[in-house]
Amino acid sequence: MNELKLTLESVDPAQLWGTNNEHYEILKHAFPKLKIVARGNEVKVLGDEQELGVFESKFNLLVAHLEKYSSLNPNEVESILSVKAKTGATETVAEKVNSTGGGEVIVFGTNGLMVKARTANQRRMVDSIVKNDVLFAIGPAGTGKTYTAVALAVRALKNKEIKRIILTRPAVEAGENLGFLPGDLKEKVDPYLRPLYDALDDMIPAEKLKLYLENRTIEIAPLAFMRGRTLDNCFVILDEAQNATDLQLKMFLTRMGPSAKFIVTGDVTQVDLPKKQMSGLHNALRILDDIPGIDIIYLTGEDVVRHKLVKRILKAYGDIQ
């Protein structure tokens, strides 16, 4: 049996191993054939030589990530450990995970919150919207596609690149019927749009957000309200696009004015349309794939940034591999 000894010189062992040794347990689970013993800033690992080589490489990437970003969470640990190295590749996993934005802050939110693109594909979204005017971000629940899109819109507004933000969703019930609820139209449709409000709450102080909503600097409305409009000098996000029909999606995309940015987010595994209605998202992804100025980014299980159990739940349901 071979032995590998490692010394932590530049990072805090408590940060590396996580709260209640959560990161340490993830590492042990990823390398069940190795015996890993950590004491203070010393790590001793026993096992097969080839397995030790893989462990050392992954371990160094975790340390490099912590050195660069001064933080490490369970999702990042699992993402780094799950990325497979390609033969002849010189790019490290940490560089691959952070290659398109360096973990830079997209926007500073409320209470000192720094909203960052936390995964490789989220960073691809940040880069893509600079180069393209229409971006499709497709992926399962928890991959941060909507949150990242809203952050990009808020950044554009704060930088005065656009004058307005328009956030929209198809008003399709996800297995429940909300039509009986009392109140005016806004009160009836708000439950459908709540996730968009939640994202904005993180990024804009309450009083300013209230003002933006009142003077329509930020508009949140059902997709049907987009018909007949020209949306210009604004950042427009269509969320839950898998619940838009072919005609609705075509209608939305053709609202685009000369100085607008559009982001379309969707999860093709969670279509809530009636059985006789087909989602228009599949067709849009097929026919728009090769058009210059339109980019399509597919987020995966590696981009899940919610609780670590979310990734396991999605795997159990077959939504991710």
Side-chain angles (χ1 to χ4, degrees), residues 6 29 35 45 56-57 64 90 103 123 136 173 181 230 238 243 265 278-279 289-290 304 313 317 321:
L6 301 166
H29 181 74
K35 182 179 181 182
V45 191
E56 184 175 14
S57 175
T90 57
R123 293 182 185 96
F136 285 81
E173 296 148 347
L181 292 175
T230 299
L238 170 58
N243 290 328
T265 70
M278 296 293 293
S279 170
D289 188 33
D290 296 324
V304 173
I313 291 167
Y317 276 96
Q321 298 301 313

Side-chain angles (χ1 to χ4, degrees), residues 8-160:
L8 300 173
E9 297 177 347
S10 57
V11 298
D12 180 0
Q15 275 190 295
L16 178 65
W17 301 129
T19 306
N20 297 322
N21 288 326
E22 187 172 14
H23 303 165
Y24 177 70
E25 294 300 324
I26 294 172
L27 197 61
K28 284 192 355 182
H29 181 74
F31 292 93
K33 296 179 182 179
L34 298 179
K35 182 179 181 182
I36 306 169
V37 180
R39 291 194 179 93
N41 66 341
E42 298 290 335
V43 182
K44 185 169 73 172
V45 191
L46 302 173
D48 174 76
E49 184 176 0
Q50 185 175 354
E51 190 85 358
L52 288 175
V54 176
F55 175 89
E56 184 175 14
S57 175
K58 299 284 188 179
F59 184 84
N60 287 338
L61 292 171
L62 292 173
V63 172
H65 184 97
L66 186 53
E67 284 177 336
K68 188 170 184 178
Y69 301 104
S70 302
S71 67
L72 188 65
N73 63 47
N75 286 317
E76 290 166 340
V77 172
E78 291 191 346
S79 292
I80 290 171
L81 294 178
S82 66
V83 174
K84 296 178 181 178
K86 294 182 179 179
T87 304
T90 57
E91 184 183 39
T92 67
V93 176
E95 288 168 340
K96 182 176 180 181
V97 170
N98 301 293
S99 60
T100 58
E104 295 175 4
V105 176
I106 300 174
V107 66
F108 288 94
T110 57
N111 300 318
L113 176 68
M114 293 186 293
V115 180
K116 298 181 179 182
R118 295 169 56 187
T119 72
N121 283 321
Q122 288 177 15
R123 293 182 185 96
R124 285 184 62 206
M125 289 177 63
V126 175
D127 279 354
S128 178
I129 201 60
V130 175
K131 304 170 187 174
N132 300 283
D133 289 332
V134 177
L135 170 62
F136 285 81
I138 310 301
T143 50
K145 52 191 182 294
T146 299
Y147 197 80
T148 303
V150 172
L152 292 170
V154 172
R155 182 180 71 175
L157 182 65
K158 287 187 174 183
N159 291 344
K160 298 183 179 180

